[in-house]
């Protein structure tokens, strides 16, 4: 009987594991989200696994051996409780499939600041000062609102010169 299981993957090899399992006609699911980041000072959008290092697979373990799954490139092993592989409820997997396209989750996990977020300047003459993120100024710069001598001033900073403060 086919059931959903949770597989542990090798680091950053979720896509490789998905491809190799699908080549064996095993149904798989790994939710990916778009995450906005600053890499080398530039704003980039990347697709990352929602659960890094894990994916869901649907198989009948009476017909497919766990050794076959474990020897699949990209897969380490099935998540187990003792000797028994962890069975994931169908409802949970289908609910995740329905929600996989939800953009609000990606915004929550984004490391980029949004308008109004507090940032800490870590480089340059204003190092150590807090500012308010206003908007992107191209791909590698941003406009920040600083309070200098009791007046607010907008200034452009490189994306590498500041970090977002947690709320």
């Amino acid at each position: 009987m086919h059931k959903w299981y949770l597989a542990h993957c090798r680091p950053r090899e979720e896509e490789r594991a998905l491809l190799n399992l699908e080549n064996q006609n095993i149904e798989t699911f790994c939710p990916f989200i778009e995450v906005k980041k600053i890499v080398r000072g530039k704003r980039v959008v990347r697709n990352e696994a929602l659960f890094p290092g894990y994916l869901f697979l649907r198989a009948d373990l009476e017909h497919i051996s766990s050794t076959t799954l474990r020897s699949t490139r990209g897969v380490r092993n099935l998540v187990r409780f003792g000797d028994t592989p962890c069975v994931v409820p169908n409802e949970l997997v289908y609910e995740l499939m329905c929600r996989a396209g939800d953009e609000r989750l990606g915004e929550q996990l984004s490391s980029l600041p949004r308008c109004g977020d507090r940032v800490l300047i870590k480089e340059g003459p204003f190092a150590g000062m807090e500012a308010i993120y206003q908007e992107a100024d191209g791909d590698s710069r941003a406009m920040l609102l600083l309070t200098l001598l009791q007046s607010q001033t907008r200034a452009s900073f490189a994306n590498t010169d500041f970090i977002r403060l947690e709320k």
Side-chain angles (χ1 to χ4, degrees):
M1 185 160 154
H2 284 80
K3 295 179 183 176
W4 284 99
Y5 298 96
L6 186 62
H8 186 224
C9 300
R10 299 194 182 281
R12 293 177 297 285
E13 290 194 7
E14 295 91 1
E15 291 181 18
R16 180 183 211 177
L18 284 171
L19 178 67
N20 289 317
L21 287 168
E22 287 172 1
N23 286 342
Q24 297 176 41
N25 295 322
I26 297 173
E27 186 179 352
T28 59
F29 172 64
C30 183
F32 286 90
I33 58 169
E34 284 187 352
V35 178
K36 299 171 188 166
K37 290 186 173 185
I38 296 177
V39 177
R40 294 188 196 117
K42 301 240 181 197
R43 297 169 64 105
V44 294
V45 177
R46 295 235 170 111
N47 273 341
E48 293 186 359
L50 183 60
F51 307 111
Y54 295 94
L55 62 84
F56 299 97
L57 62 93
R58 186 169 178 261
D60 184 359
L61 292 185
E62 292 178 9
H63 293 98
I64 297 174
S65 102
S66 59
T67 308
T68 303
L69 295 174
R70 191 174 54 243
S71 64
T72 301
R73 287 178 150 292
V75 176
R76 275 202 175 150
N77 207 343
L78 292 178
V79 174
R80 298 175 179 275
F81 293 121
D83 289 336
T84 359
C86 174
V87 177
V88 180
N90 291 338
E91 298 80 24
L92 175 65
V93 176
Y94 297 138
E95 182 70 25
L96 285 170
M97 285 179 175
C98 291
R99 292 178 181 253
D102 193 354
E103 293 177 12
R104 289 175 291 168
L105 183 60
E107 288 176 11
Q108 290 173 358
L109 296 176
S110 174
S111 65
L112 286 180
R114 290 184 294 246
C115 183
D117 283 352
R118 293 179 334 141
V119 296
L120 176 68
I121 301 170
K122 59 179 187 172
E123 300 285 332
F126 301 108
M129 291 184 67
E130 285 189 20
I132 297 175
Y133 183 87
Q134 293 290 296
E135 62 186 352
D137 187 19
D139 282 341
S140 59
R141 299 191 67 80
M143 294 298 291
L144 302 180
L145 187 63
L146 292 165
T147 303
L148 298 172
L149 300 172
Q150 297 180 348
S151 66
Q152 292 186 338
T153 307
R154 280 176 52 124
S156 181
F157 288 85
N159 287 336
T160 55
D161 290 349
F162 62 89
I163 56 171
R164 184 176 93 180
L165 294 174
E166 297 299 319
K167 294 180 181 180

